[in-house]
Amino acid sequence: MSEQAAGAAPLLAAHGIRKSFGDHEVLRGVDLTVRRGRVVAVIGPSGSGKTTLLRSLNGLETPDGGRLDLDGGPALDFSRPVPKATRLALRDRSAMVFQHHNLFPHRTVLQNVTEGPVQVRRVPRRQADERALALLERVGLAEKRDAYPRELSGGQQQRVGIVRALALQPDLLLFDEPTSALDPELVGEVLTVMKELAEEGWTMVVVTHELQFAREVADEVLFMDRGVVVEQGPPRQVFTAPREERTKRFLHRIL
Ligand code: ADP
């Protein structure tokens, strides 16, 4: 962790986030602080609430309780109804990369990337095209600008998914298991792009099963189980000297 990152101001702070689906309490009071320029990896068993937490951070899910504070933006208190405009303001600050890339199949790569900026953010078409091409260039996909998603490999599709998120110029990038639907030989190219983004100073929250990636790239690792954060800290601590029995058991099972 750089000195600069250590002193970085929180971009996002979540306090006591709770969420139930029916009578299933999926998040049971989760706290999370994401500092500017930092990478937080969220790990934990399947069903522990990682995706629901991530979706709560950008307003795709509305928590039943708790609070979200966004630097320079809205504070959301979920103990009372949150106005739609406030939720939308939250959504505008972040961009999500999904497990399945969710690209529009009948649109070209370039159209997929520019859709959000042009339609949602009202960026002029030419400017959106230029920016999209520069981003595609960066991930080595500029020559695929007119290809359709089905003509790309899974790894290329997911890299376009990342570019689409970057094109929105968010403050915060959220990744929901971005490599878990990929064939093993395609995982590396996506993780490489994510690592570069981290090195460039993007603020990222990454739900992942790629523990090696979390170890190398994350500034902080958060281990969740059954809707609570069991343990969090720098990767070196969580992976090599976990304090909690549940963390030890999880790591033992998957390492
Ligand atoms: P993880 O990402 O750790 O696998 P999730 O957040 O996806 O966990 O899911 C946590 C639990 O919440 C799971 O039991 C899942 O079935 C349930 N869940 C998630 N989304 C919904 C939903 N929209 N409706 C009902 N149950 C849901």
Side-chain angles (χ1 to χ4, degrees), residues 128-181:
D129 281 354
E130 275 170 20
R131 204 187 287 155
L133 280 170
L135 290 169
L136 287 168
E137 183 89 50
R138 264 192 42 192
V139 301
L141 289 175
E143 81 281 8
K144 299 287 186 191
R145 54 176 285 173
D146 297 321
Y148 288 88
R150 66 172 180 280
E151 299 170 311
L152 305 180
S153 72
Q156 290 173 331
Q157 290 172 358
Q158 196 56 303
R159 275 145 67 199
V160 175
I162 293 174
V163 164
R164 186 178 50 176
L166 296 175
L168 292 169
Q169 300 191 295
D171 289 329
L172 177 64
L173 284 171
L174 304 171
F175 294 84
D176 188 9
E177 299 189 18
T179 58
S180 57

Side-chain angles (χ1 to χ4, degrees), residues 19-22 24-27 44-55 61 176-177 207 209 224:
K19 176 73 181 173
S20 297
F21 294 109
H24 183 185
E25 203 177 6
V26 172
L27 297 178
S46 187
S48 54
K50 305 181 298 295
T51 295
T52 306
L53 173 64
L54 201 67
R55 291 169 61 83
E61 245 15 294
D176 188 9
E177 299 189 18
V207 171
H209 292 298
M224 282 184 71

Side-chain angles (χ1 to χ4, degrees), residues 14-128:
H15 310 275
I17 298 293
R18 289 187 292 103
K19 176 73 181 173
S20 297
F21 294 109
D23 54 10
H24 183 185
E25 203 177 6
V26 172
L27 297 178
R28 299 186 290 140
V30 173
D31 296 340
L32 166 75
T33 300
V34 187
R35 294 182 184 281
R36 280 189 189 277
R38 300 278 292 271
V39 178
V40 177
V42 183
I43 62 169
S46 187
S48 54
K50 305 181 298 295
T51 295
T52 306
L53 173 64
L54 201 67
R55 291 169 61 83
S56 298
L57 299 182
N58 82 338
L60 282 175
E61 245 15 294
T62 305
D64 307 320
R67 214 178 71 227
L68 267 183
D69 296 323
L70 197 58
D71 183 39
L76 290 86
D77 177 355
F78 296 109
S79 63
R80 55 183 76 128
V82 175
K84 190 170 174 210
T86 313
R87 266 191 291 125
L88 292 178
L90 174 71
R91 196 170 301 181
D92 272 358
R93 298 286 297 275
S94 62
M96 179 94 105
V97 177
F98 297 91
Q99 184 174 356
H100 298 279
H101 52 75
N102 292 3
L103 299 175
F104 297 113
H106 303 300
R107 303 225 171 109
T108 65
V109 163
L110 188 65
Q111 287 165 345
N112 265 285
V113 174
T114 54
E115 170 84 10
V118 171
Q119 300 298 331
V120 184
R121 306 271 156 96
R122 305 280 167 220
V123 175
R125 161 73 56 195
R126 244 189 60 196
Q127 195 182 327

